[in-house]
């Protein structure tokens, strides 16, 4: 066991760069923001998505079909992110998207400094202008600052406050839930779990999922339960199973207690690749969709139904009987599909 705080922080920093209702946990008072920004698209429809926040699906039979995109590790403001945004926009125009989920590390290298930070324009507004849908955000370690160490715990307040500036952006709390049609969604803040600060969150996620009467339950978080990327599996991230914080033991504990066996699907990022793992977490299917702007690497540590370093995103369609997830690349081509049935 390493007990030196200075050494621990150095280890976290060294490995973070190579490596997420009712608004139940909004943290400190939100920073004031400037006047709303002008963004092309249906702002009134985006704003209505706030009504889903804090609400569970009603649990009755629903003829509503839910369609959404999920991708993470987007915040590079580079050509790759732009291409993925264009492909998302084309798919959403042709097939429909109720919303998009950003799976954390929304802004590299160390989050944003205010609701007027220029990164908002280059990393969110411009690359996703082609996508006429509301975006729900998850917090990642880079959103918590510290150049990826995730140890500036007030830093996410700027992302929380941005919802008052741009109706396309939704982040009602650091962890939260929302419901639509036959699906209940829960959003985890796995960065706090890395630091052992997830007791309240663990109780909330477990309660929301256990109490859900929806046909489908989907959980989102930044850090994966299992991954064939450089970070690897929770509890032994980066091969550091005995090192506090960076091993991800806190993430493993959170997911096993609150999500595994309770959600049908857990979708994460952190590793910059696209993966649909064959092993499950107590029956919960595991997906990594973290290649929204730049790839890292892949191994064969875990069996995978599909894995790719190609940039792209996950598109999910859910109704009363089926849930279908399809990986698309940055040209808009579908390269893997899996359907779950109930």
């Amino acid at each position: 066991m390493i007990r030196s705080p200075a050494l621990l922080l150095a280890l976290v920093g060294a490995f973070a760069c190579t490596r997420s209702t009712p608004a139940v946990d909004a943290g400190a008072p939100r920073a004031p923001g400037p006047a709303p920004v002008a963004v092309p698209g249906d702002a009134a429809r985006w704003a209505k998505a706030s009504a889903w926040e804090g609400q569970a699906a009603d649990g009755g039979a629903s003829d509503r079909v839910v369609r959404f995109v999920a991708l993470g590790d987007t915040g590079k403001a580079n050509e790759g992110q732009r291409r993925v945004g264009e492909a998302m926009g084309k798919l959403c125009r042709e097939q429909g998207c109720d919303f998009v989920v950003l799976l954390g590390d929304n802004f590299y290298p160390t989050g944003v400094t205010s609701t007027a930070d220029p990164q908002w324009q280059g990393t969110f507004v411009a690359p996703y202008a082609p996508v006429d849908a509301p975006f729900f955000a998850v917090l990642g370690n880079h959103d918590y600052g510290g150049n990826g160490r995730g140890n500036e715990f007030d830093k996410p307040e700027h992302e929380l406050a941005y919802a008052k500036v741009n109706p396309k952006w939704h982040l009602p709390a650091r962890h939260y839930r929302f419901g639509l049609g036959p699906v209940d969604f829960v959003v985890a803040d796995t960065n706090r779990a890395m630091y052992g600060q997830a007791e309240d969150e663990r109780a909330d996620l477990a309660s929301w999922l256990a109490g859900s009467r929806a046909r489908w339950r989907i959980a989102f978080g930044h850090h994966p339960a299992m991954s064939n990327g450089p970070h690897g599996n929770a509890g032994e991230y980066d091969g550091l199973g005995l090192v506090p914080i960076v091993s991800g033991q806190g993430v493993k504990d959170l997911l096993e207690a609150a999500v595994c066996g309770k959600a049908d699907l857990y979708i994460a990022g952190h590793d910059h690749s696209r993966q649909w793992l064959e092993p499950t977490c107590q029956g919960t299917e595991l997906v990594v969709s973290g290649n929204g702007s730049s790839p890292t690497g892949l191994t064969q540590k875990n069996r995978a139904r599909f894995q790719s370093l190609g940039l792209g995103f996950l598109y999910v369609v859910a109704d009363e009987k089926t849930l279908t997830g399809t990986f698309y690349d940055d040209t808009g081509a579908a390269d893997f599909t899996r359907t779950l049935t109930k």
Side-chain angles (χ1 to χ4, degrees):
M1 181 70 71
I2 298 176
R3 300 184 182 277
S4 165
L7 180 55
L8 278 179
L9 203 56
L11 283 166
V12 175
F15 291 100
C17 296
T18 62
R19 356 224 153 287
S20 5
T21 196
V24 297
D25 187 18
R30 298 182 180 182
V37 297
V39 181
D42 191 347
R45 181 169 64 87
W46 304 338
K48 289 179 182 178
S50 295
W52 309 339
E53 298 166 7
Q55 303 300 314
D58 62 20
S62 173
D63 58 4
R64 178 78 152 86
V65 178
V66 176
R67 301 174 174 87
F68 68 90
V69 166
L71 74 167
D73 305 86
T74 57
K76 296 290 185 72
N78 61 7
E79 175 61 19
Q81 186 182 10
R82 186 199 65 78
R83 290 200 312 271
V84 172
E86 289 283 354
M88 289 165 54
K90 182 174 185 294
L91 181 74
C92 290
R93 289 191 298 273
E94 293 175 351
Q95 299 192 32
C97 293
D98 293 298
F99 58 91
V100 175
V101 177
L102 295 180
L103 295 166
D105 285 359
N106 308 313
F107 301 94
Y108 289 98
T110 192
V112 289
T113 58
S114 72
T115 56
D117 190 311
Q119 288 187 93
W120 286 106
Q121 178 64 33
T123 310
F124 177 64
V125 174
Y128 301 125
V131 185
D132 188 5
F135 280 61
F136 285 85
V138 177
L139 294 169
N141 50 295
H142 284 272
D143 302 302
Y144 269 89
N147 286 310
R149 292 188 297 273
N151 62 346
E152 296 181 60
F153 295 103
D154 290 336
K155 202 77 179 276
E157 289 303 312
H158 306 303
E159 292 192 37
L160 287 158
Y162 188 69
K164 296 180 180 179
V165 176
N166 185 345
K168 194 171 187 174
W169 178 269
H170 294 260
L171 181 60
R174 299 187 186 212
H175 70 276
Y176 59 99
R177 66 172 175 172
F178 62 102
L180 185 64
V183 190
D184 274 340
F185 302 94
V186 301
V187 176
D189 179 353
T190 56
N191 186 73
R192 285 187 307 168
M194 290 283 286
Y195 284 88
Q197 300 178 7
E199 289 188 11
D200 291 346
E201 178 181 0
R202 183 183 307 181
D204 287 337
L205 296 177
S207 174
W208 294 339
L209 288 170
S212 172
R213 296 184 296 125
R215 191 66 163 174
W216 301 100
R217 302 165 185 85
I218 298 176
F220 305 106
H222 179 64
H223 295 83
M226 300 179 71
S227 172
N228 284 339
H231 296 304
N233 299 342
E236 51 186 50
Y237 286 156
D238 302 284
L240 298 171
L242 298 179
V243 182
I245 303 177
V246 295
S247 72
Q249 184 61 46
V251 174
K252 186 174 189 289
D253 292 344
L254 172 67
L255 296 178
E256 289 183 349
V259 174
C260 295
K262 301 176 179 65
D264 298 291
L265 185 63
Y266 176 62
I267 307 174
H270 198 44
D271 274 323
H272 298 195
S273 53
R274 292 176 296 142
Q275 309 169 46
W276 197 305
L277 284 305
E278 186 174 332
T280 67
C281 185
Q282 302 172 33
T284 298
E285 300 249 341
L286 303 175
V287 171
V288 176
S289 182
N291 216 357
S293 62
S294 62
T296 49
L298 279 169
T299 70
Q300 301 292 329
K301 180 174 184 176
N302 306 294
R303 297 187 310 276
R305 300 180 186 278
F306 169 83
Q307 62 181 35
S308 172
L309 285 177
L311 299 182
F313 55 91
L314 179 72
Y315 181 65
V316 177
V317 179
D319 59 27
E320 274 292 315
K321 295 182 179 180
T322 63
L323 184 155
T324 298
T326 302
F327 275 121
Y328 286 84
D329 68 16
D330 59 349
T331 72
D335 44 20
F336 175 79
T337 296
R338 177 164 169 77
T339 296
L340 311 179
T341 60
K342 282 192 177 181

